[in-house]
Amino acid sequence: MPSWLKTQLSRAYREKDKRSIIMLNRAFFKYRSNLH
């Protein structure tokens, strides 16, 4: 997992930001499927 995504996720979790978490999860899965 890229470091920028980790920081964004931890910030979103700290602020209990559901929308950001969902968006970041989607971005991460898209990012990961592009690697394969």
Side-chain angles (χ1 to χ4, degrees):
M1 190 183 285
S3 55
W4 59 268
L5 193 57
K6 234 178 260 180
T7 20
Q8 294 286 78
L9 264 175
S10 54
R11 186 179 300 142
Y13 274 112
R14 209 177 313 128
E15 295 171 5
K16 303 254 189 313
D17 190 347
K18 288 258 163 54
R19 207 176 48 212
S20 287
I21 293 169
I22 293 167
M23 262 168 32
L24 287 164
N25 275 334
R26 264 191 218 134
F28 175 61
F29 282 119
K30 208 172 283 177
Y31 171 87
R32 217 173 51 178
S33 62
N34 284 344
L35 289 182
H36 296 307

